[in-house]
Amino acid sequence: MAAIPARLHHLVVVILLLVPSLTAAQSRAFEGAPAAYARYLVDAAAMPAVDLYDYIVVGGGTAGCPLAATLAGPGGGRVLLLERGGAPSEFPALATAGGFVRTLAMADPAPESDAPAQGFTSEDGVPNVRARVLGGGTAINAGFYSRAHPEWFRRGHAEDAGMTNVWDMPLVNASYEWVERQMTFQPAVHGWQAAVRAALLEANVTPWNGFTVDHVTGTKVGATTFDASGRRRSAADLLAVARPSRLRVAIRGTVTRIITNPVGLAARRGRSPLPTIAAIGVVYQDRLLDQHQALLRPGGEVILAAGALGSPQLLLLSGIGPAPDLSSLGIPVSADIPDVGKHMYDNPRNGISFIPSVPIDHSLIQVVGIPSANGTASYLEAASYIVPVAPALRSSVPFLGSSSPLYVTVATIMEKVPGPLSEGSLWLSSTNPLESPALRFNYLSRPEDLARCVLGVRHVARVLEGRALDGFRSAVVGSTTTGRRGSSVRREFRIAGTALPADWRTNDRALASYCQQTVATLWHYHGGCVAGKVVDGSFRVIGSHAIRVVDASTFSETPGTNPQATILMMGRYVGLKMIEERHSRRPVMPP
């Protein structure tokens, strides 16, 4: 594999930042289409100063939208869904797959920004992104949909200390199916994705499983949240099933704290574990920084669905977390829960990108290689991007030339370390709820994760060796080795970025160094409110009353190749369980 010079690697980054012009025409095609969720929306600035609800859901993202829709459906109550960002319809680039790279490239870390993606960089120095828009990650991601591996439900819940419940698998499957009926599709696989599929099979990532949403060993095509016309479905679209009289969705409303009261001794009797605090509502601010209160009706609950950064951050801001840390920031301690913000994880991504010899189609993840069904071997995925090259830069790229096309393609194959076992922590660097908290993931700090990365990157290299990818190699002229005059022509990939060590087949130490030098995120961070440590088996905050956390912050392991399917399912699942509790009967599944 031929490595592209450092200046060309920089160019690849630059052209990715120029993507906005690529998708403008595609985005305009969806402008003006009414969103099904529009009738529920209200700007937080127009909300009353004080109002009462049965359920207050904080975070209109991957879990929050299906949760709110379910709680505002049959058997539910009056629901307020609070989202700190705007609506997806305000950002045309979100509507199509072509806007994916553009959205990430334009992520703005500024707290006051209205960009749908908020950038942040961990203390490890790895850039990352969190959603700031109704629909959460489902509104900005690559759209790949695949269920958790079956072992995840046993490893990630029942075995944790303090767990009293286990997953109700019939209801889990029914909740997955509810999501899939409304927002998933079978993608048309061709071009680059079809070649990767063949290369995975050549590399013995078998068997071939065809199209399936299940997590199975081998190579498969997963579902997508982009329909046949290329339009994105996000979790926000699930809100349409709610009863309009029961649901209100306040956008640009940032929750600043949960309002809690201490629980008296009389109220604690008969409960295990004994609650020490009870939620009575939340305080949130609108875009004008005016304060509002949403209060609970008797029997109501506050449910945090603000994600792996937002949920632990809000607990800490509310005085729920490690007492010494809270006291040092001047935050009154409501409940001393040492594990809030602890056990943070992010799945390391390492990939090989190259500029192919022929133009290829734009594709997000469709094909995935799963060497082991139980989540112990790295997952293999691929994508390709068509990106514009500024005229002033074309002449500086040796193999493009000044007369080259306006667009160039970048293809990538990546591996994702499952789990992971390496963990970090999150803490408040500011008491401003608009700012992202500080965190460190400690990527690849556990030897097991580093060993998996070594094997995963080696697997990627073997996939690239496959004959199915020969057509994407570029001709490279080199000297002959026979002593004769002339030169030989060989075909190699023009690598964008750090090339693999020449002895990658045998040198584990060199590959380990490669893993550490090129580690990046796949935006699958989780933890901070881990089940068994911060929440119980029903996702209630341990030692509290009327506070739950329902999102990926409760995970100690990522669920399969991609978490969005399971987080979406989780919102529906917990909503049905809460209605069941409310009425002391099994939930009635709507058609």
Side-chain angles (χ1 to χ4, degrees):
M1 302 175 190
I4 293 176
R7 63 173 180 167
L8 184 52
H9 179 220
H10 175 72
L11 173 63
V12 171
V13 176
V14 170
I15 59 180
L16 291 178
L17 295 177
L18 297 177
V19 155
S21 61
L22 172 65
T23 58
Q26 293 174 306
S27 299
R28 282 196 296 270
F30 298 103
E31 288 182 359
Y37 52 80
R39 59 180 172 172
Y40 304 97
L41 298 185
V42 60
D43 191 283
M47 291 288 287
V50 182
D51 209 352
L52 295 173
Y53 300 90
D54 296 300
Y55 302 106
I56 302 167
V57 181
V58 181
T62 310
C65 286
L67 174 64
T70 301
L71 292 175
R78 188 167 189 244
V79 180
L80 173 64
L81 177 61
L82 288 161
E83 168 53 45
R84 70 190 184 115
S89 55
E90 300 171 15
F91 310 99
L94 302 185
T96 66
F100 170 69
V101 177
R102 174 187 177 186
T103 301
L104 294 182
M106 299 181 69
D108 192 339
E112 66 277 5
S113 172
D114 63 354
Q118 184 176 12
F120 68 95
T121 300
S122 72
E123 297 294 315
D124 313 270
V126 175
N128 212 318
V129 166
R130 61 188 296 210
R132 182 167 46 193
V133 63
L134 186 67
T138 66
I140 67 172
N141 66 16
F144 187 74
Y145 180 100
S146 183
R147 296 185 182 187
H149 52 284
E151 280 294 315
W152 182 85
F153 291 98
R154 291 184 283 272
R155 287 206 301 260
H157 216 59
E159 295 179 5
D160 280 333
M163 303 305 283
T164 56
N165 297 337
V166 296
W167 290 93
D168 177 346
M169 292 310 298
L171 188 59
V172 164
N173 291 328
S175 299
Y176 272 130
E177 291 164 4
W178 178 82
V179 172
E180 290 155 11
R181 286 195 298 269
Q182 299 175 76
M183 61 178 291
T184 67
F185 308 89
Q186 180 174 348
V189 178
H190 51 80
W192 169 242
Q193 293 289 328
V196 170
R197 174 181 60 194
L200 284 167
L201 295 173
E202 278 189 74
N204 202 33
V205 186
T206 56
W208 165 239
N209 296 296
F211 169 74
T212 178
V213 296
D214 292 327
H215 186 100
V216 289
T217 300
T219 296
K220 73 164 196 170
V221 173
T224 179
T225 55
F226 294 97
D227 66 18
S229 67
R231 182 182 181 276
R232 182 193 294 273
R233 297 288 195 277
S234 79
D237 295 298
L238 299 175
L239 295 171
V241 306
R243 292 184 176 177
S245 61
R246 289 184 174 175
L247 177 63
R248 179 169 289 185
V249 180
I251 56 175
R252 288 179 282 275
T254 301
V255 177
T256 59
R257 65 182 177 92
I258 306 166
I259 308 171
T260 60
N261 277 340
V263 175
L265 290 176
R268 299 188 201 181
R269 290 175 185 162
R271 287 182 173 271
S272 180
L274 300 179
T276 58
I277 58 169
I280 61 173
V282 302
V283 177
Y284 65 97
Q285 65 186 29
D286 58 36
R287 56 187 169 82
L288 304 176
L289 303 184
D290 289 332
Q291 303 290 306
H292 305 253
Q293 288 189 2
L295 303 178
L296 293 174
R297 290 172 170 173
E301 294 190 48
V302 171
I303 310 105
L304 305 187
L309 269 66
S311 289
Q313 178 187 27
L314 186 54
L315 287 179
L316 294 171
L317 289 171
S318 305
I320 303 170
D325 295 351
L326 298 174
S327 298
S328 67
L329 291 169
I331 299 174
V333 179
S334 297
D336 182 9
I337 305 181
D339 287 296
V340 174
K342 304 298 190 290
H343 318 293
M344 291 292 302
Y345 308 88
D346 189 20
N347 297 91
R349 167 175 61 97
N350 295 83
I352 299 175
S353 297
F354 64 93
I355 296 180
S357 59
V358 294
I360 58 177
D361 56 316
H362 175 97
S363 69
L364 299 181
I365 297 168
Q366 297 175 339
V367 177
V368 62
I370 304 174
S372 171
N374 63 3
T376 58
S378 289
Y379 307 126
L380 308 173
E381 302 173 348
S384 57
Y385 313 102
I386 304 173
V387 292
V389 183
L393 296 176
R394 291 202 302 276
S395 60
S396 66
V397 184
F399 62 87
L400 288 180
S402 59
S403 61
S404 295
L406 295 176
Y407 298 93
V408 68
T409 50
V410 177
T412 184
I413 299 179
M414 67 200 87
E415 65 87 34
K416 165 187 169 177
V417 174
L421 297 176
S422 303
E423 67 176 73
S425 59
L426 171 153
W427 62 94
L428 296 180
S429 57
S430 165
T431 56
N432 182 355
L434 295 175
E435 294 183 6
S436 290
L439 74 165
R440 178 184 293 275
F441 291 115
N442 292 316
Y443 293 102
L444 303 174
S445 58
R446 287 282 294 268
E448 301 94 327
D449 290 340
L450 187 57
R452 287 177 182 175
C453 182
V454 167
L455 293 176
V457 171
R458 184 171 283 140
H459 221 144
V460 168
R462 287 173 179 154
V463 171
L464 284 169
E465 284 189 321
R467 288 174 296 175
L469 302 184
D470 282 350
F472 305 104
R473 303 177 195 271
S474 300
V476 178
V477 178
S479 301
T480 64
T481 58
T482 62
R484 298 176 182 176
R485 293 182 180 180
S487 59
S488 64
V489 177
R490 63 187 188 279
R491 301 190 66 83
E492 295 185 358
F493 292 112
R494 291 195 178 270
I495 303 299
T498 305
L500 283 170
D503 54 351
W504 61 263
R505 290 175 178 82
T506 57
N507 193 334
D508 286 358
R509 181 174 296 180
L511 276 186
S513 178
Y514 177 90
C515 284
Q516 293 166 327
Q517 291 173 12
T518 64
V519 66
T521 182
L522 201 53
W523 310 287
H524 295 169
Y525 49 88
H526 52 284
C529 298
V530 169
K533 300 180 184 298
V534 175
V535 299
D536 65 15
S538 297
F539 302 100
R540 294 185 178 91
V541 173
I542 295 170
S544 75
H545 175 66
I547 309 175
R548 300 195 204 216
V549 180
V550 181
D551 57 29
S553 69
T554 65
F555 298 169
S556 58
E557 177 186 355
T558 194
T561 59
N562 188 291
Q564 81 162 338
T566 301
I567 301 170
L568 287 161
M569 175 280 296
M570 183 185 188
R572 173 66 170 176
Y573 174 95
V574 177
L576 291 172
K577 284 289 188 181
M578 291 177 67
I579 292 173
E580 178 184 359
E581 293 170 8
R582 182 182 178 97
H583 297 283
S584 299
R585 60 178 173 81
R586 298 295 298 176
V588 178
M589 295 293 293

